[in-house]
Amino acid sequence: MSKRQNPLGWKVVLGGLLLIGSQLGMAQNGAVSLDRVVAIVDKDVVLESELNARKVSIMERLRGQYQQLPPEDVLNKQILEQLIIERIELGMAERYEITIEESEIDQAIGRVLQKNQITLAQLEADLQRQGLNLDGLRKQMRNELTINNLQQGVVNSRIKITEQDINNFLASSDGKYATSPDYHIGHILIAVSSSADAEAIAEAEKQANDIYQKLLNGSDFAQMAISFSNDQAALQGGDIGWRKLAQLPELFGNQMLGLAEGQVSKPFRSGAGFHILKNIEQRGGGEQLVEQTHARHILVKTSEIMDDSQARQKLLDLKARIEKGEDFAVLARENSEDTGSMLSGGDLGWSMPGMFVAEFEEAMKNTPINGISRPFKSQFGWHILQVLERRKEDMSDKMKRNQAANVLRARRFDEEFQLWLTQIREEAYVEIKL
């Protein structure tokens, strides 16, 4: 047990039993429900009913995978430790003020429905058979999303990737492979038997050249593959998926290296026959032009004394003043509630797509240069923005370095995650009563 002082405070724990009112509710006759406490975790508790419910769920899953289950005492210990860690993480998330919107839970449930190809009514019926309900599932999903956000945010902030780390990685064969382009490849094969005579080979070559000419004249690659290719992917329109050049036979790699996106190769020969490749799509490699926008904005937040209607009207008034000749920067310094940009007259500098929330991105995209948007609302409040400039910038080197940093961060995440779990477990007050 940790040496930190018991912070439970007002909760009354007697002989491992906690009187539960607000958590489990009162019985119909007015009696207080009793549930055994199996662990105290900081200002929270883990109840025996939670332990048993989690155990039932885990045992059902394990029975489908293993013939012999661990002894019950071992299973209880592992499950209790899992619940303790979750309590610690949820407590931390509350202190960090991590919140999950209802829309995020709706999207998570939508993914469950799509993955299992069921309706919401079928999901509710399935939950009912397990003694659960949709409200319980939403609470579980909220906790899982909260914990995931906490883990990603905290653990990633502990991982430090230096410029030298990136340089070393990019110079390695592993780094060169990881940051090399990915090609989405289409393939047509006109097969030639190993015992084919010269006439059969010439006929196959002619067919391949005829297909190539049709493709150049606008014929659909997928349709041509379905109709003529002898490759196993023919019925998928010749689509063999995404590949790096290092994953391809050298003969194929050399052909793909010279193809721009959307282009097809001339027919080329291998032992299997004549091939035509298409660069359907490409990720990475070459010039990566990204449109950047230089904008500034004014933010007005809603409050008890400033509702949506008033915030919108205030921005309409400011917009009118700017259009009559007043200085945007001066009005931003006087009125904007974005502390990060107000002192610089609302200036946000140059931005790339994806840097701002969707509502802001949409308004910025639809506002002409030197134009001022109409007031729009985001999760931060109400805005007006002005687009000052746009430019296209080659971001290929920066994108490659970002990709390298992401690979290194992902590799270090698991190790740092385990160190973090050990640390928060040691620092928490935990008293086990099982």
Side-chain angles (χ1 to χ4, degrees):
M1 186 180 75
S2 173
K3 295 182 180 180
R4 276 180 51 186
Q5 184 179 357
N6 180 357
L8 204 57
W10 58 269
K11 293 182 179 177
V12 181
V13 181
L14 297 173
L17 291 178
L18 174 64
L19 300 180
I20 304 294
S22 60
Q23 287 179 290
L24 296 182
M26 306 290 285
Q28 289 185 350
N29 60 7
V32 177
S33 301
L34 296 178
D35 198 352
R36 182 176 176 82
V37 171
V38 293
I40 300 171
V41 185
D42 288 332
K43 295 183 179 181
D44 209 341
V45 295
V46 178
L47 302 174
E48 189 173 34
S49 59
E50 296 174 89
L51 177 65
N52 291 336
R54 180 69 62 89
K55 183 163 66 174
V56 167
S57 174
I58 290 176
M59 287 182 70
E60 285 181 0
R61 177 169 54 82
L62 291 179
R63 283 194 187 99
Q65 299 176 359
Y66 306 101
Q67 292 183 340
Q68 185 173 359
L69 298 178
E72 186 174 4
D73 61 332
V74 173
L75 202 58
N76 281 341
K77 182 178 179 181
Q78 291 177 334
I79 296 171
L80 180 57
E81 188 61 28
Q82 185 183 76
L83 290 167
I84 287 170
I85 292 293
E86 286 178 13
R87 284 293 197 279
I88 296 170
E89 290 177 311
L90 288 171
M92 290 183 67
E94 185 176 358
R95 293 194 294 275
Y96 283 120
E97 298 183 344
I98 295 174
T99 58
I100 303 298
E101 301 293 332
E102 292 297 322
S103 59
E104 294 179 73
I105 302 174
D106 293 337
Q107 291 169 10
I109 291 176
R111 289 192 292 271
V112 171
L113 299 179
Q114 184 177 19
K115 181 180 179 181
N116 294 280
Q117 296 184 329
I118 57 175
T119 65
L120 184 60
Q122 289 172 317
L123 175 62
E124 290 186 279
D126 189 45
L127 290 170
Q128 192 172 10
R129 284 192 293 272
Q130 299 177 52
L132 305 171
N133 57 41
L134 194 57
D135 287 341
L137 177 65
R138 292 183 71 87
K139 180 180 179 182
Q140 178 184 336
M141 286 185 164
R142 182 184 298 278
N143 286 346
E144 289 177 1
L145 289 169
T146 300
I147 288 172
N148 183 65
N149 286 357
L150 173 76
Q151 291 172 352
Q152 292 296 323
V154 174
V155 177
N156 276 320
S157 70
R158 292 163 59 103
I159 300 171
K160 306 302 180 188
I161 307 295
T162 67
E163 291 298 310
Q164 190 59 50
D165 291 335
I166 295 172
N167 292 338
N168 293 342
F169 179 72
L170 289 174
S172 70
S173 57
D174 196 13
K176 290 174 182 175
Y177 174 82
T179 58
S180 64
D182 295 288
Y183 295 91
H184 186 189
I185 302 172
H187 178 223
I188 293 175
L189 168 66
I190 304 303
V192 175
S193 169
S194 59
S195 59
D197 57 21
E199 185 178 350
I201 294 172
E203 181 60 32
E205 185 175 15
K206 181 179 182 303
Q207 185 183 8
N209 282 320
D210 288 345
I211 292 171
Y212 174 66
Q213 288 301 322
K214 289 178 180 178
L215 291 170
L216 292 182
N217 291 330
S219 293
D220 182 70
F221 188 95
Q223 189 59 53
M224 298 297 285
I226 292 170
S227 301
F228 300 108
S229 181
N230 304 123
D231 183 67
Q232 290 185 344
L235 294 179
Q236 287 77 51
D239 190 336
I240 61 173
W242 288 91
R243 299 284 193 279
K244 289 184 179 292
L245 294 186
Q247 296 173 305
L248 297 172
E250 186 177 356
L251 187 63
F252 279 35
N254 291 338
Q255 294 291 329
M256 289 301 301
L257 196 58
L259 290 182
E261 192 169 297
Q263 283 188 332
V264 294
S265 71
K266 291 180 178 179
F268 60 97
R269 177 78 191 273
S270 79
F274 292 91
H275 308 264
I276 300 172
L277 298 177
K278 180 176 182 179
N279 183 355
I280 301 172
E281 296 177 81
Q282 182 176 334
R283 295 186 300 221
E287 192 176 51
Q288 301 288 317
L289 291 178
V290 175
E291 183 171 83
Q292 297 180 321
T293 305
H294 182 196
R296 55 186 177 182
H297 83 132
I298 296 174
L299 170 67
V300 174
K301 298 180 180 179
T302 56
S303 64
E304 293 181 0
I305 59 173
M306 177 72 73
D307 61 21
D308 284 332
S309 177
Q310 292 169 318
R312 182 176 181 276
Q313 186 57 54
K314 180 176 180 178
L315 288 172
L316 281 173
D317 294 341
L318 291 172
K319 180 176 185 289
R321 290 169 62 184
I322 295 165
E323 290 172 340
K324 289 179 180 178
E326 291 195 48
D327 192 311
F328 189 109
V330 171
L331 292 178
R333 283 191 285 269
E334 293 174 351
N335 295 278
S336 183
E337 296 180 68
D338 177 15
T339 54
S341 69
M342 59 181 291
L343 293 179
S344 58
D347 198 323
L348 298 168
W350 287 100
S351 66
M352 294 195 302
M355 283 185 60
F356 301 119
V357 294
E359 298 88 350
F360 202 96
E361 293 272 343
E362 186 69 18
M364 194 162 57
K365 182 177 72 175
N366 294 326
T367 303
I369 293 177
N370 294 322
I372 300 172
S373 71
R374 293 187 62 79
F376 63 94
K377 187 179 182 182
S378 77
Q379 66 194 69
F380 302 105
W382 283 84
H383 314 253
I384 55 172
L385 65 81
Q386 182 180 37
V387 173
L388 299 173
E389 302 172 81
R390 286 193 175 95
R391 70 184 181 191
K392 288 190 179 295
E393 191 81 0
D394 181 9
M395 302 297 292
S396 51
D397 185 63
K398 185 173 183 180
M399 292 173 75
K400 182 180 284 190
R401 295 186 71 82
N402 285 343
Q403 185 181 0
N406 289 337
V407 171
L408 291 171
R409 191 170 286 108
R411 288 181 175 182
R412 297 179 188 179
F413 185 90
D414 287 343
E415 181 182 1
E416 192 63 40
F417 176 58
Q418 292 303 321
L419 290 172
W420 175 69
L421 284 184
T422 301
Q423 180 182 331
I424 64 172
R425 178 65 172 83
E426 290 175 349
E427 291 175 352
Y429 173 86
V430 177
E431 182 178 347
I432 296 175
K433 292 183 167 290
L434 186 63

